[in-house]
């Protein structure tokens, strides 16, 4: 029984050891994952993408006529692209 608990603890900790993606000095990803590129709608700047640690989603730098703004990276159907699933909301059943 003790061995099962230790093994379970090690497996839980292994999930925490995911390496952070490489970034430039500005915090943009040096390489956007292929899966993200495949999902992203075509009108977005994929050369300036960040992974926001607060929400686990990808954001890109939108260069507007007046200023640059970070916007969430979206799929063609409008959904936000995230590296991890957002926490599920509790609903009354």
């Amino acid at each position: 029984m003790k061995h099962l608990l230790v093994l379970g603890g090690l497996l839980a900790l292994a999930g925490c050891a995911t390496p952070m993606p490489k970034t430039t000095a500005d915090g943009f990803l040096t390489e956007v994952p292929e899966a993200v590129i495949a999902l992203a709608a075509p009108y977005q700047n994929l050369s300036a993408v960040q992974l926001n640690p607060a929400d686990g989603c990808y954001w890109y730098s939108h260069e507007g006529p007046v200023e640059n703004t970070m916007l969430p990276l979206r799929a063609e159907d409008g959904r936000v692209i995230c590296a991890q699933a957002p926490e599920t909301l509790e609903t009354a059943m």
Side-chain angles (χ1 to χ4, degrees):
M1 183 67 166
K2 243 190 245 187
H3 296 291
L4 289 176
L5 290 174
V6 170
L7 180 61
L10 289 174
L11 289 174
L13 288 175
C16 297
T18 305
M20 289 298 294
K22 294 181 184 179
T23 59
T24 64
D26 297 338
F28 294 108
L29 298 177
T30 56
E31 191 172 318
V32 179
E34 289 294 323
V36 173
I37 293 171
L39 286 173
Y43 56 85
Q44 302 166 111
N45 179 8
L46 295 180
S47 65
V49 175
Q50 295 179 338
L51 180 57
N52 185 337
D55 62 8
C57 296
Y58 292 93
W59 292 67
Y60 74 99
S61 178
H62 171 74
E63 296 180 16
V66 177
E67 64 185 2
N68 294 349
T69 307
M70 293 302 291
L71 297 175
L73 194 62
R74 296 188 179 271
E76 292 207 40
D77 64 1
R79 290 181 295 147
V80 176
I81 301 173
C82 298
Q84 59 194 27
E87 292 185 28
T88 56
L89 300 173
E90 292 184 28
T91 57
M93 295 182 107

